[in-house]
C-alpha cells in the first residue's frame, strides 16, 4: 500500500513536470538578466520593460484582444442559437445535416479552414465588392466561424442536461416561449454561455494559422508577431510576453471553471 | 400490502349496496373522445371524462397507461390527435399552455433554480393585472398556505425535498387556476412524509375549492385523496367511480386486481335469479352470490372476493355460507391485520385477511403451520364479473 502510494505520487509528479516544465522554464527565463536563453545570470525585469516599450507588440496585443472579444461575442450569439435549435426544436427537417455542419470545424484542420475562408473572402470581394481589404474584420469573422462549433458544443451539453420541465413550468405559468427563453433558459445556462465565450476568446487569442490566412497588410495579431520574431531566434522578451499570456489564460480558465461550478450548484437536482 | 383506507375526512361517500349513477352535474372539465398517438404508438385512445367543479379527480394506472400524456394534453403541452377538451365551457384544445386557465405541478417540481422561493411563487403573477402590493400579499398567502413563511428567501437548492414539493404546489396555486394538474405529486417523497402530505393536499384542495386532477400510479394515494378515480390501462379508461365504487364494484377483473388485492376465479352460472349460484372449480363448490347483474344460466363469469371479506377459522361459524376448506400455506403479519395464503383442495391459493382485534399471542391460527382451516364468505361479498 505504502509502495503503491509512493509510486502514485512519483507518477503524478512526472506527469506534471512533463506538462509544465517547459512553461515553467520559460517563465523563469523571462526574468533572466542575460540575453542568452540558456544561461541564468540573475533576476531582472528588463525584458518586461522592453516589451512594454515595443509599440509593435503592444499594437498587436490590442488588435488580438479586440478580435478575440468581438469574435467570441459573435460566436456565443450564433452558438447559442445553434445549440437551442439542436437541443430544443425536436427532429426538424435537416437536423442531422445541420448538426454535422455546425460541429465539423471541431475536427477540421485549421489550415483547411484558413484556406477555405481565404478563398471565400477573395471570391466575395470579386462578386459583391466586399471585403475590399482583409484585416481586422475578416480575421474576426473567421475566428467567429471557427470557434462557434466549440461554443455550440458547450452550450448544447448544458441545455441537454437541463430539466425541460423547468421551461414547461414557466410556460404553464403564463410565459410565451420568448419570455421563457429570457426569464428561465438563458439565466439557467448563463454560466455555460460565459464558459463558451471564454473558450472562444482563448481560441481566437492564440490562433496563428487562420489569422495568417485571412488577415491582410497592416493587421498583425499577437501570435503572428511572436511567430515572426521566433523565426529569428528566441529572445527573452518573447519569454516575458508568453509568460504574461499564460498567466492571463490561466486566470480566464480558472474563472470559467468557477462558473461551471456555480452552474452545477444552481441546477435543480 | 396495505389495504385502502376509507377514512376520507370530507365528502363521505354513502356506502351503497347498489351503486346508482350520481345525479348528472355539469362537467367543468370535459374531455371528449380524446386520442393521442406518437407515430405508431397509441398513447391515449378515445378517452372521455366529465370532471366536476371543485372535484379531486385521479387518473390511476401503471406506467405507460397514458395517464401522464392525458394530463399533458390538459396542460397544453401535447395536442390531441383527435377529440376536444373543454374547460368551463370553453374549447381549449388548440390553446397554448400559456393561455390556458390551468396550472400544473410537475413530478420533478421544476422549480426555477436561479430564483428564490418567493420569486418562484411570484413568477406566474407577473402576467396578471395586479399591483405590487397585491402580488406580495398573494405570495405571502401562498407561503402561509403551504406553511413555508420562513423560507421565502431561500433558493431551491437550500431546501428539502418535502419543502420543494410545497413550493411547487404554492407556485402552481398562486394564479388561482380553474384547474390544477398534479403529476405524481407525492411520488418523490418518502412513505411517512407522503401519508402526511396526502391529507395536507386534500385539505388545501378543500380550502381553495380548485378542481384538482391528479396523476398517480399509487392506488392507496388515489383511494385516500380522490373524490373520483379513473382507472386507466393501455391508453383507455377502464372504470370511473368513487373510491368506494371502484373498490367494491370493480367493472372488470383488471380493476379488481389493480385496486387492492383480490381473489379472482373463473366460474359459470348454474342458477340465475334471486339466489344466484355460480360453479367455481377452484373453490371446489357452487357459490351463492348476491348479484345485481342480469345473469343467464350457463354464462361464463369471474368471481372476485376481497381477502378482508373472507372469515378464516378452525371451524366456520354454524350457519356460515360458502364454506371452503384448505391449509394455511403462509402468513403475512402486518400488525393491524394478518394476511393468510390458504392452499385449497384444488391446489389454488385463496387470500384471507383477519383484523387482529385481540392481542393474542400464539393462537393456533397465528402459529400452527399447515393448519387446516375453514373459510367462509357472505353472498354479498362476491363480485360477479362477465368473462
Amino acid at each position: 500500500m505504502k509502495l503503491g502510494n509512493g509510486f502514485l505520487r512519483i507518477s503524478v509528479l512526472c506527469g506534471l513536470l512533463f506538462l509544465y516544465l517547459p512553461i515553467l522554464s520559460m517563465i523563469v527565463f523571462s526574468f533572466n538578466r542575460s540575453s542568452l536563453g540558456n544561461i541564468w545570470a540573475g533576476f531582472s525585469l528588463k525584458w518586461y520593460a522592453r516589451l512594454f516599450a515595443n509599440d509593435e507588440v503592444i499594437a498587436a496585443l490590442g488588435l488580438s484582444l479586440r478580435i478575440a472579444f468581438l469574435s467570441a461575442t459573435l460566436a456565443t450569439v450564433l452558438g447559442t442559437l445553434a445549440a437551442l435549435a439542436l437541443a430544443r426544436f425536436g427532429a426538424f427537417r435537416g437536423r442531422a445535416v445541420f448538426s454535422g455542419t455546425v460541429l465539423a470545424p471541431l475536427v477540421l484542420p485549421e489550415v483547411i479552414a484558413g484556406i477555405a475562408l481565404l478563398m471565400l473572402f477573395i471570391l466575395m470581394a470579386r462578386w459583391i465588392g466586399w471585403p475590399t481589404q482583409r484585416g481586422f474584420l475578416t480575421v474576426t469573422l473567421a475566428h467567429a466561424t471557427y470557434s462557434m462549433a466549440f461554443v455550440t458544443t458547450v452550450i448544447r451539453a448544458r441545455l441537454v442536461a437541463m430539466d425541460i420541465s423547468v421551461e414547461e413550468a414557466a410556460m404553464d405559468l403564463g410565459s410565451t416561449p420568448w419570455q421563457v427563453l429570457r426569464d428561465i433558459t438563458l439565466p439557467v445556462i448563463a454560466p455555460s454561455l460565459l464558459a463558451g465565450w471564454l473558450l472562444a476568446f482563448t481560441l481566437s487569442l492564440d490562433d496563428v494559422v487562420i489569422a495568417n490566412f485571412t488577415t491582410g497588410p497592416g493587421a498583425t495579431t499577437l501570435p503572428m508577431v511572436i511567430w515572426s520574431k521566433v523565426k529569428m531566434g528566441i529572445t527573452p522578451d518573447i519569454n516575458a510576453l508568453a509568460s504574461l499570456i499564460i498567466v492571463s489564460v490561466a486566470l480566464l480558465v480558472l474563472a470559467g471553471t468557477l462558473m461551471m461550478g456555480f452552474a452545477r450548484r444552481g441546477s435543480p437536482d | 400490502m396495505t389495504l385502502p383506507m376509507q377514512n376520507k375526512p370530507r365528502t363521505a361517500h354513502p356506502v351503497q349496496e347498489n351503486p346508482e349513477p350520481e345525479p348528472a352535474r355539469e362537467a367543468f372539465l370535459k374531455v371528449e373522445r380524446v386520442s393521442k398517438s406518437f407515430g405508431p404508438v397509441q398513447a391515449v385512445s378515445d378517452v372521455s371524462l366529465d370532471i366536476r367543479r371543485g372535484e379531486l379527480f385521479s387518473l390511476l394506472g401503471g406506467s405507460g397507461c397514458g395517464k401522464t400524456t392525458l394530463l399533458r394534453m390538459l396542460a397544453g403541452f401535447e395536442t390531441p390527435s383527435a377529440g376536444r377538451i373543454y374547460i368551463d365551457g370553453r374549447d381549449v384544445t388548440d390553446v397554448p399552455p400559456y393561455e390556458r386557465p390551468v396550472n400544473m405541478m410537475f413530478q420533478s417540481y421544476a422549480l426555477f433554480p436561479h430564483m428564490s422561493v418567493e420569486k418562484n411563487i411570484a413568477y406566474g403573477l407577473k402576467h396578471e393585472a395586479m399591483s405590487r402590493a397585491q402580488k406580495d400579499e398573494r405570495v405571502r398567502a401562498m407561503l402561509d398556505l403551504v406553511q413555508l413563511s420562513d423560507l421565502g428567501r431561500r433558493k431551491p437548492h437550500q431546501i428539502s425535498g418535502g419543502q420543494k414539493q410545497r413550493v411547487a404546489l404554492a407556485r402552481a396555486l398562486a394564479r388561482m387556476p380553474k384547474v390544477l394538474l398534479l403529476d405524481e405529486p407525492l411520488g418523490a417523497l418518502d412513505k411517512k412524509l407522503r401519508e402526511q402530505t396526502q391529507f395536507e393536499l386534500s385539505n388545501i384542495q378543500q380550502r381553495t375549492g380548485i378542481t384538482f386532477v391528479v396523476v398517480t400510479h399509487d392506488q392507496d394515494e388515489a383511494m385516500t385523496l380522490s373524490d373520483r378515480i379513473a382507472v386507466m390501462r393501455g391508453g383507455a379508461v377502464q372504470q370511473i367511480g368513487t373510491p368506494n365504487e371502484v373498490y367494491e364494484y370493480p367493472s372488470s377483473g383488471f380493476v379488481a386486481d389493480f385496486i387492492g388485492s383480490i381473489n379472482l376465479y373463473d366460474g359459470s352460472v348454474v342458477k340465475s335469479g334471486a339466489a344466484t349460484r355460480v360453479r367455481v372449480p377452484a373453490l371446489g363448490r357452487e357459490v351463492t352470490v348476491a348479484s345485481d347483474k342480469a345473469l343467464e344460466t350457463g354464462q361464463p363469469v369471474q368471481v372476485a372476493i376481497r381477502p378482508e371479506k373472507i372469515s378464516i377459522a378452525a371451524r366456520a361459524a354454524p350457519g356460515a355460507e360458502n364454506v371452503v376448506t384448505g391449509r394455511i400455506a403462509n402468513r403475512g403479519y402486518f400488525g393491524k391485520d394478518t394476511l393468510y395464503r390458504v392452499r385449497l383442495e384444488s391446489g389454488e391459493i385463496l387470500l384471507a385477511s383477519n383484523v387482529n382485534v385481540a392481542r393474542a399471542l400464539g393462537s393456533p391460527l397465528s402459529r400452527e403451520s399447515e393448519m387446516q382451516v375453514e373459510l367462509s364468505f357472505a353472498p354479498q361479498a362476491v363480485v360477479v364479473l362477465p368473462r
Side-chain angles (χ1 to χ4, degrees):
Chain A
M1 198 65 211
K2 219 164 206 174
L3 183 89
N5 242 341
F7 178 72
L8 207 65
R9 262 179 220 179
I10 291 165
S11 311
V12 170
L13 196 69
C14 287
L16 286 175
L17 281 178
F18 179 76
L19 284 173
Y20 291 107
L21 200 59
I23 294 174
L24 210 64
S25 65
M26 187 190 69
I27 294 177
V28 168
F29 276 94
S30 74
F31 297 107
N32 191 359
R33 193 191 302 267
S34 160
S35 64
L36 292 169
N38 48 3
I39 299 158
W40 181 255
F43 180 84
S44 162
L45 284 173
K46 69 174 175 183
W47 302 113
Y48 286 89
R50 201 208 269 194
L51 186 67
F52 287 111
N54 186 333
D55 289 341
E56 188 199 5
V57 169
I58 296 302
L61 177 66
L63 181 71
S64 271
L65 287 176
R66 275 184 291 144
I67 289 174
F69 183 89
L70 206 62
S71 70
T73 308
L74 201 59
T76 306
V77 172
L78 294 175
T80 306
L81 294 177
L84 281 170
L86 289 172
R88 287 290 185 271
F89 285 72
F92 57 86
R93 256 175 100 100
R95 184 181 186 278
V97 176
F98 181 63
S99 172
T101 46
V102 163
L103 302 181
L106 288 175
V107 289
L108 195 66
E110 284 179 56
V111 179
I112 308 291
I115 293 173
L117 284 160
L118 176 62
M119 297 280 291
L120 176 73
F121 288 136
I122 290 171
L123 287 175
M124 279 172 68
R126 191 176 303 160
W127 289 338
I128 61 170
W130 186 91
T132 46
Q133 60 166 16
R134 291 187 296 283
F136 171 77
L137 205 59
T138 48
V139 177
T140 304
L141 289 176
H143 280 177
T145 313
Y146 182 70
S147 53
M148 178 189 153
F150 296 84
V151 178
T152 306
T153 310
V154 170
I155 295 175
R156 183 193 187 180
R158 181 72 191 96
L159 280 172
V160 168
M162 179 181 168
D163 181 7
I164 290 192
S165 60
V166 173
E167 291 173 4
E168 288 179 340
M171 201 181 284
D172 184 64
L173 290 166
S175 290
T176 60
W178 276 111
Q179 289 168 328
V180 174
L181 182 68
R182 187 194 63 202
D183 296 346
I184 307 297
T185 315
L186 288 181
V188 168
I189 66 164
S192 73
L193 295 183
L194 190 63
W197 188 89
L198 287 172
L199 185 63
F201 188 84
T202 357
L203 281 171
S204 165
L205 203 59
D206 76 3
D207 166 73
V208 63
V209 179
I210 293 176
N212 245 319
F213 278 106
T214 53
T215 191
T220 312
T221 65
L222 190 63
M224 291 168 71
V225 170
I226 295 174
W227 183 244
S228 63
K229 276 177 171 287
V230 165
K231 276 191 276 190
M232 291 172 280
I234 297 175
T235 55
D237 54 346
I238 294 298
N239 281 344
L241 180 59
S243 303
L244 287 178
I245 291 176
I246 283 168
V247 171
S248 30
V249 167
L251 286 175
L252 284 181
V253 169
L254 188 69
T257 314
L258 285 177
M259 278 300 155
M260 290 307 270
F262 279 129
R264 261 193 296 281
R265 232 181 313 149
S267 64
D269 42 41
Chain B
M1 188 181 338
T2 324
L3 290 171
M5 287 181 280
Q6 285 295 301
N7 50 350
K8 203 169 156 57
R10 47 214 173 99
T11 43
H13 305 295
V15 180
Q16 299 156 309
E17 279 304 310
N18 290 303
E20 283 168 38
E22 293 194 19
R25 274 188 274 160
E26 194 196 341
F28 186 62
L29 171 58
K30 192 175 179 65
V31 175
E32 205 176 76
R33 307 206 60 182
V34 161
S35 296
K36 175 71 182 177
S37 42
F38 297 102
V41 183
Q42 182 88 359
V44 172
S45 49
D46 201 14
V47 168
S48 294
L49 298 173
D50 285 346
I51 299 173
R52 297 167 197 140
R53 189 190 295 269
E55 190 171 35
L56 202 162
F57 193 92
S58 291
L59 301 170
L60 174 65
S63 60
C65 74
K67 57 189 194 298
T68 301
T69 306
L70 185 56
L71 194 78
R72 289 176 62 81
M73 285 194 279
L74 298 182
F77 295 126
E78 310 285 354
T79 317
S81 312
R84 311 303 296 174
I85 296 168
Y86 302 89
I87 295 171
D88 203 6
R90 177 181 165 216
D91 185 345
V92 297
T93 317
D94 302 312
V95 174
Y98 46 90
E99 284 169 12
R100 290 196 186 198
V102 303
N103 283 125
M104 179 152 163
M105 187 184 143
F106 289 79
Q107 185 174 11
S108 65
Y109 307 146
L111 299 181
F112 308 133
H114 58 299
M115 294 184 194
S116 68
V117 167
E118 279 173 347
K119 292 256 169 61
N120 262 281
I121 297 173
Y123 185 79
L125 300 177
K126 65 186 230 167
H127 308 288
E128 308 274 299
M130 290 168 82
S131 73
R132 180 78 195 272
Q134 281 173 311
K135 285 179 192 174
D136 290 348
E137 174 55 36
R138 179 73 63 83
V139 170
R140 216 172 311 123
M142 286 299 134
L143 282 170
D144 283 346
L145 186 71
V146 297
Q147 298 162 35
L148 286 177
S149 310
D150 303 333
L151 300 182
R153 301 200 185 280
R154 299 256 186 105
K155 286 280 185 71
H157 69 266
Q158 294 169 319
I159 58 178
S160 72
Q163 289 164 341
K164 279 183 196 166
Q165 191 259 3
R166 290 196 250 167
V167 174
L169 179 64
R171 185 179 69 180
L173 281 171
R175 302 216 307 161
M176 301 288 179
K178 287 183 173 173
V179 179
L180 184 73
L181 310 170
L182 302 98
D183 189 3
E184 302 278 359
L186 310 175
L189 305 179
D190 60 51
K191 190 170 158 43
K192 198 82 193 161
L193 197 56
R194 197 158 62 217
E195 285 170 1
Q196 200 181 317
T197 313
Q198 255 171 27
F199 290 105
E200 230 170 278
L201 202 61
S202 62
N203 237 326
I204 286 175
Q205 195 262 339
Q206 212 181 344
R207 281 169 63 186
T208 53
I210 293 172
T211 309
F212 277 33
V213 180
V214 178
V215 153
T216 180
H217 67 277
D218 183 325
Q219 44 114 346
D220 287 348
E221 193 175 301
M223 295 291 275
T224 342
L225 277 176
S226 324
D227 291 315
R228 287 193 304 154
I229 300 172
V231 183
M232 291 184 69
R233 179 201 198 184
V237 170
Q238 297 283 307
Q239 186 176 4
I240 301 173
T242 63
N244 192 265
E245 282 163 12
V246 293
Y247 187 77
E248 300 292 358
Y249 300 92
S251 64
S252 65
F254 171 77
V255 175
D257 200 34
F258 191 80
I259 311 266
S261 56
I262 202 155
N263 298 292
L264 261 181
Y265 305 109
D266 287 347
S268 57
V269 178
V270 174
K271 178 179 170 292
S272 58
T276 305
R277 291 182 69 76
V278 179
R279 161 123 209 97
V280 185
L283 298 177
R285 60 165 294 157
E286 282 178 12
V287 171
T288 309
V289 302
S291 175
D292 56 302
K293 293 191 184 76
L295 296 167
E296 286 168 34
T297 309
Q299 186 183 340
V301 290
Q302 273 189 312
V303 294
I305 316 144
R306 297 277 179 202
E308 74 275 11
K309 293 187 171 62
I310 298 176
S311 323
I312 179 167
R315 300 212 59 78
E321 289 180 90
N322 300 325
V323 179
V324 289
T325 57
R327 288 180 180 278
I328 294 178
N330 340 75
R331 300 177 181 82
Y333 178 69
F334 296 100
K336 67 177 191 311
D337 55 14
T338 304
L339 186 75
Y340 298 91
R341 292 181 80 241
V342 179
R343 190 174 302 281
L344 304 176
E345 276 151 14
S346 64
E348 295 277 339
I349 292 289
L350 184 86
L351 298 175
S353 75
N354 218 358
V355 178
N356 296 320
V357 182
R359 283 179 66 199
L361 271 178
S363 74
L365 209 56
S366 66
R367 187 166 39 98
E368 248 174 72
S369 63
E370 295 283 308
M371 180 186 167
Q372 169 117 24
V373 288
E374 288 189 352
L375 306 131
S376 61
F377 46 90
Q380 291 79 14
V382 185
V383 180
V384 181
L385 300 163
R387 179 146 64 96

